[in-house]
Amino acid sequence: MFGDLFEEDFSFVSNNQCGKGKKPKSKDTEPPAPREFTKLSGIKNQGGTCYLNSLLQTLHFTPEFREALFSLGPEELGSLEDISKPDVKVRIIPLQLQRLFAQLLLLDQQAASTTDLTESFGWNSNEEMRQHDVQELNRILFSALETSLVGTSGHDLINRLYHGTVVNQIVCKECKNVSERQEDFLDLTVAVKDVSGLEEALWNMYVEEEYFENDNLYRCGACNKLVEAAKSAKLRGCYGGHYHVYIKDVDALGNWQLKEEESKLMTEEKVQKDTENSKEMENPLTILKGILSEEESKQIPVDQLGQKLLEKKGMSWNKKYRKQYGPIRKYLQNHSQIFRLSPDNKVSLKEMYHKLQFGSDSQGQGLQSSSQNNDVQWTSESLCTVLKDSASGSHWFDLNDSKVQPIKEKDIEKQFQGKESAYMLFYRKSQLKRPSEAQANPRYRVPGPLVNEMDAANIELRKRRMDCDSADSNIDLHLHLGSHYKLYHGALHPSLSQKESMLDLTIDKRKTLGDLRQSIFQLLEFWEGDIILSTAKSLPAGLHLYQTLDGDEMTLGGIGLADGAHVFVWNGKEVGGMEVLSGLDHEPVLLNVLRLAGYNEGGKGQHFIESQHAVPCSAELSTLWKALPLPGGIILMNSSGSDKEVENWKVVPEEDMKKTVRSVGLTDGSSILVLDSHDQSLVNMASGNLTAFTHDISWLQVKNFCRLEAEEKQVKITATIETVMSDIKIKAIQELQLGEDLVNDSCLRPINRNGKLLSPVPEDYTVKEAELKMGSLLGLCHGKAPTSTQLFLYFVVGSDLQGGPEMEIIVEETASVRECLNLMLEKSGLPGDNWHLRRIDWCYEAGEALSEESARLKELNVCSGDTLVITEGKLPPKGFLKVPIWWYKPLMHFGHQESMQDQMNCMTCMMGALRVSPAGDSPTYVQSDIGLCYAGNVEISGEAFLEDLKIQAMTLPFFQELSVPSPEFLRAWTLESKRPGKLLRNNQQQLNEYKLGGRTEICIEPLQKEENLGPSDLLLRVQMGIPGERDYYHSVDLVWDISKECTAWALRHRLAAHYSLPVEKIEIAKYFPEKFEWMTVSSWTQQISKRKRKKKQESLQSAPFHLKDGDIIGVKNLLLEDGKDFSTVRDDIGKETQRQLAMEKKKSRQAQRLQNDVFSEGKVATKHRKPEVALSINVGIFR
């Protein structure tokens, strides 16, 4: 399923751009691969869309669905070119489906892309990476298509093709009266466990009779009495599509061949002979002769011969034969008695071999299309020949995202004979016959504009593939001109800039060395004398020469020149008057040379100077003294490559100084330590080890923040991990040439990746204790650094942490929370004592309060660099809760007496209005479309009861203006995301038992009568639809006892009893206000027996409904209206507003991302995982 998770999602038609230049080559610059031998196109997986790909392929291979969609023209659907026009209605989803089906039929690419289609769904990249249920997608897609096709001739497309009916019958045993009730469906769900097949599953679920007898009698309408009866169901009229994943190709659009079919046709007595024949067919001579004999012109370019072999055998010459027979051109030359190579690089069979009869290798391989016929305009003759292998005339294919393979029907049956079962099945009526002109004709009934678009795309694809094949033979060579180089330290270095010293030349690798030499002569008109070409390589020490290129008749590929190779152009003798030594034995080595620049007693403050020197690997170690500005001394070599361990440094003995650099093991990047005579006291000459060199070498960067005029200047300070920070500060002040007065009035502060100054480092810390890494950036700032017993803290005031200024303070770690708060209030200038401190949580918001004001900061694990928030308001005593109280009055849906304009105006106001709460520590903004009004705070013990909380809320000034008789007339909810969340029931339950957090908010709802809900009571807000209008009557509260079951069947009966309507004459749906969407509660599966219902029904409190207290349930009376559309005008406006807000948010994010790329280079972005959301498809309004 996730096999193509990291594959580029590329489709030629939807992304018709190709980058200029050959390198760097990426999948986006290469043309998509052509179709494979099946001649069918797969679909790219966008990350987790295998369920979507399987459903789309199923619908595509349903000819009735595909052709019905193709029959809708632009006069009904509009045009994709008019999407940006505001006054034009464009039905994007069916148009994109048409275009995708045309690509699957006609475009010569291995796999099509669904990017354009999913964008028309309104899906983002997160949706494409998330796996969903294919049955759920099928229902949602069908619903989206029905909505998109409203008002067109295809408005009943889904109903016409996939509609079925369940007929429930009850037959009276006495009068034989038959009572029928029909229910519609688009798909059926069956239980497959412990059943032998699909027929048994359907029988058990729908057809098996249930008898009403004994104590369970049926009241017959004809007899008007309780009688014995039999209940059963029948299925009527359903078809469409094929198997999920495995699809039957009824139009013979694909090429069905299985290689194992040939071997199974062999008889037992011919096995040995055929085995020998198969070995003969693997002979490259036989294969190449067969390819050339099938060509009409009897000759093809050598490069195309390799491509033909790849198409025929599924493997290139280089992979299959090169190791044994060499390059294909050499193989043809070695068999000159059979093949003729012309001067224009074409190959053909000699005349005697034209007369030989070459039969097809096999029934499959001899019929594969050549590269010139990859336009998918396949003829029916060639396909009919392929299909002669089967008497059935149509075959099965396994479509697995991008891969399409043929599969036998018996293999499918074998797969599902055991415990495994198919998840979703599509059926098509066997009586449906396809016209003969549709057979093997992918263009059948495809609209002309789409045919023209695919033909043009195929022409462009062929051109790009030819260009790509040609570009694959080109290589780029970097030519280094000897006259622009000089030699020092055993390596070549450009005397001018790199650009002026080097030329780039693109040449066909099939050309000879002589051709390359001639091309260079034409480029270098100033060159005199012979040109010698040598291979070169750029090393850390410089450019080095290796091999001189000889043999002008050899091809560039044959002598090993690859793309990006470096070639040195010179006279072969000297460069700049100096002899050049080439080859592996004279490679230059770049060494890191360390030497002591100063020494302080006690080992602290040791500074080292590091420089790089290049020497030939064949040079003696004694020659290093000539390259170093030292008269003599001793050399220590790092034996393991790690500079940090003392025991790795060894003195080079005097006798080894005559050895070469390579023989002693020095390579690029190796370090040596050079000590003067006065530094030799650090070495124990007897053992050859260091004695006083006990600290790791390190260096830091210090940037000046003390002087504005020198703000951008920074210096590099060499140090060890034991160097004290005060020494580093003094050295930095000297290097920056700042005044000595800063020594006592400055500190060093680390700078993070975002450029923020962190807490100062104590000056008595060493580099190791400060946990600074090599290369760390420090800021030299005004102010004193904290001591090891002090804390450096940041703090902000209020709840706006992003917009408020961040201040700094240094306090003793033994200070109490109250003392720290007083210092912060004094520094920020805030009056009074109505404040408290909070920590910052992980999402940079005010989090846990520091409630123990007498506790010390150290005891509370407050560390240097932490950020605290000064929040208004006093903390409640320990064990008490400070609860913000809100007044909640649910807003009713609009009545039918209001005008459409009033509804739109009110909807716009409710979506945009904001209300400010009066208290600083309470929530700041609340959307006004949910009827919330801030009432005040209540301070109450956690051991108090819910009834006590309601009583205290009634004492607030806001509630005193209302006449509330008792707490039983109030309903309490928690407030979640500014909406009512959990219903708090049972007035005699303690608040601690509700697990209310320190930041929990409560909203109180007034009631018209007393209420005492039990633990199994579910509170729903039910509203009946107004017949003939897209609106509802005022909602009413409905208490539903779910102690027995919480299923759709039980809810329908509860609502039918509430409205005194027959249960089969109502439709119900749940409303999702945050998305302005209704989800219909399916009804046809409810009319099954009680015994089966217990096994079948799932709780409405689970996915996808997640039914809970306060949910809105819409009810439609089918006696007065037959429409099943639950949406209102408010929903249409709300969805459009959400869409506009989402577009604005997307543009804002793109602008912010662009700004961050420009101004925050190097910043590490953190990707937060978003919560999982339900699958949905956004559709425009076409009513």
Side-chain angles (χ1 to χ4, degrees), residues 36 51 59 114 136 142 210 436 469 473 485 684 693 712 725 760 799 947 1054 1071 1081 1167:
E36 296 182 348
Y51 67 101
L59 298 177
T114 56
E136 179 187 9
F142 279 5
E210 178 187 357
S436 58
D469 291 341
S473 298
Y485 273 78
N684 184 339
F693 182 59
E712 297 300 326
M725 296 304 300
S799 57
E947 184 178 21
R1054 179 68 180 89
Y1071 186 54
V1081 181
K1167 184 176 181 180

Coordinates of all heavy atoms in Angstrom, one line a residue, residues 36 51 59 114 136 142 210 436 469 473 485 684 693 712 725 760 799 947 1054 1071 1081 1167:
E36 N 3.8 -0.1 -19.5 CA 4.5 -1.4 -19.6 C 3.7 -2.3 -20.6 O 2.8 -1.9 -21.3 CB 4.7 -2.0 -18.2 CG 5.6 -1.2 -17.3 CD 5.7 -1.7 -15.9 OE1 5.0 -2.7 -15.6 OE2 6.6 -1.3 -15.2
Y51 N -6.3 3.5 -1.4 CA -7.7 3.3 -1.4 C -8.4 4.1 -2.5 O -9.3 3.7 -3.1 CB -8.3 3.7 0.0 CG -8.2 5.2 0.3 CD1 -9.3 6.0 0.2 CD2 -7.0 5.7 0.8 CE1 -9.3 7.3 0.5 CE2 -6.9 7.1 1.1 CZ -8.1 7.9 1.0 OH -8.0 9.2 1.3
L59 N -14.0 2.4 -11.1 CA -14.9 3.2 -11.8 C -14.5 3.4 -13.3 O -15.3 3.4 -14.2 CB -15.1 4.6 -11.1 CG -15.6 4.6 -9.7 CD1 -15.6 6.0 -9.1 CD2 -17.0 3.9 -9.6
T114 N -3.2 11.9 -9.5 CA -4.5 12.3 -9.0 C -4.4 13.6 -8.2 O -5.3 14.0 -7.6 CB -5.1 11.3 -8.0 OG1 -4.1 11.0 -6.9 CG2 -5.4 10.0 -8.7
E136 N -16.0 4.1 2.8 CA -16.4 5.5 3.2 C -16.1 6.5 2.1 O -16.9 7.3 1.7 CB -15.6 5.9 4.4 CG -15.9 7.4 4.9 CD -14.9 7.8 6.0 OE1 -14.0 7.1 6.3 OE2 -15.1 8.9 6.6
F142 N -19.5 9.4 -4.3 CA -20.8 9.3 -5.0 C -21.7 10.5 -4.6 O -22.4 11.1 -5.4 CB -21.5 8.0 -4.7 CG -21.1 6.9 -5.5 CD1 -20.0 7.0 -6.4 CD2 -21.6 5.6 -5.4 CE1 -19.5 6.0 -7.2 CE2 -21.2 4.6 -6.2 CZ -20.2 4.7 -7.1
E210 N -37.6 -14.7 9.0 CA -37.7 -14.7 10.5 C -39.2 -14.9 10.8 O -40.1 -14.2 10.2 CB -37.3 -13.3 11.0 CG -37.5 -13.2 12.5 CD -37.1 -11.8 13.0 OE1 -36.7 -10.9 12.1 OE2 -37.3 -11.5 14.2
S436 N -19.1 -3.9 -30.4 CA -17.9 -4.4 -31.0 C -16.9 -3.3 -31.2 O -15.7 -3.5 -31.1 CB -18.1 -5.1 -32.4 OG -18.8 -4.2 -33.3
D469 N 17.0 10.6 -24.3 CA 17.9 9.5 -24.7 C 19.2 10.1 -25.3 O 20.3 9.6 -25.1 CB 17.2 8.6 -25.8 CG 16.1 7.8 -25.2 OD1 16.1 7.6 -24.0 OD2 15.3 7.3 -26.0
S473 N 23.6 10.4 -23.5 CA 24.9 10.1 -24.1 C 25.9 11.2 -24.0 O 27.0 11.0 -24.3 CB 24.7 9.7 -25.6 OG 23.9 8.6 -25.7
Y485 N 47.7 27.7 -14.6 CA 47.9 27.1 -13.4 C 49.4 27.2 -12.9 O 50.3 27.5 -13.8 CB 47.6 25.5 -13.4 CG 46.2 25.2 -13.1 CD1 45.2 25.4 -14.1 CD2 45.7 24.8 -11.9 CE1 43.9 25.1 -13.9 CE2 44.4 24.5 -11.7 CZ 43.5 24.7 -12.6 OH 42.2 24.4 -12.4
N684 N 57.4 13.8 27.4 CA 58.3 12.8 28.1 C 59.0 12.1 27.0 O 58.5 11.2 26.3 CB 57.4 11.8 28.9 CG 58.3 10.8 29.6 OD1 59.5 10.6 29.3 ND2 57.7 10.2 30.7
F693 N 50.3 18.4 28.1 CA 49.2 18.8 27.1 C 48.0 17.9 27.5 O 47.7 16.9 26.9 CB 49.7 18.5 25.7 CG 48.7 18.8 24.7 CD1 48.2 20.1 24.5 CD2 48.2 17.8 23.8 CE1 47.3 20.4 23.6 CE2 47.3 18.2 22.8 CZ 46.8 19.5 22.7
E712 N 28.5 44.3 14.1 CA 28.6 43.2 13.2 C 30.0 42.5 13.3 O 30.1 41.4 12.7 CB 28.4 43.6 11.7 CG 27.0 44.2 11.5 CD 25.9 43.2 11.8 OE1 26.2 42.0 11.5 OE2 24.9 43.6 12.2
M725 N 36.0 31.2 31.5 CA 35.2 32.1 30.6 C 35.7 33.6 30.8 O 35.7 34.4 29.8 CB 33.7 32.0 31.0 CG 33.1 30.7 30.7 SD 33.3 30.1 29.0 CE 32.5 31.4 28.1
P760 N 23.5 34.6 30.5 CA 25.0 34.7 30.5 C 25.6 33.5 31.2 O 25.0 32.9 32.1 CB 25.1 36.0 31.3 CG 23.8 36.7 31.2 CD 22.8 35.7 31.1
S799 N -1.0 37.8 29.1 CA -1.2 36.5 28.4 C -0.7 36.6 26.9 O -0.6 35.5 26.3 CB -2.7 36.1 28.4 OG -3.5 37.2 27.8
E947 N -23.7 21.2 43.0 CA -24.9 22.1 43.5 C -24.3 23.4 44.1 O -24.9 24.5 43.9 CB -25.8 21.3 44.4 CG -27.0 22.1 44.8 CD -27.9 21.3 45.8 OE1 -27.4 20.3 46.4 OE2 -29.1 21.6 45.9
R1054 N -36.8 6.3 19.0 CA -37.1 7.3 20.1 C -37.6 8.6 19.5 O -38.5 9.2 20.0 CB -35.7 7.6 20.8 CG -35.8 8.7 21.9 CD -36.7 8.2 23.1 NE -36.8 9.2 24.1 CZ -37.8 10.1 24.2 NH1 -38.7 10.2 23.2 NH2 -37.8 11.0 25.2
Y1071 N -25.7 17.0 13.1 CA -25.1 18.2 12.6 C -23.7 18.5 13.3 O -23.5 18.3 14.5 CB -26.0 19.4 13.0 CG -25.6 20.7 12.4 CD1 -25.4 20.9 11.1 CD2 -25.4 21.8 13.3 CE1 -25.0 22.1 10.5 CE2 -25.0 23.1 12.7 CZ -24.8 23.2 11.4 OH -24.4 24.4 10.8
V1081 N -27.8 9.6 9.3 CA -27.8 8.3 10.1 C -28.5 7.3 9.3 O -29.7 7.4 9.1 CB -28.4 8.5 11.5 CG1 -28.4 7.2 12.2 CG2 -27.8 9.6 12.3
K1167 N 7.8 20.5 12.5 CA 6.5 20.1 11.9 C 5.7 19.4 13.0 O 6.1 18.4 13.5 CB 6.7 19.2 10.8 CG 5.5 18.8 10.1 CD 5.7 18.0 8.8 CE 4.4 17.6 8.1 NZ 4.7 16.8 6.9

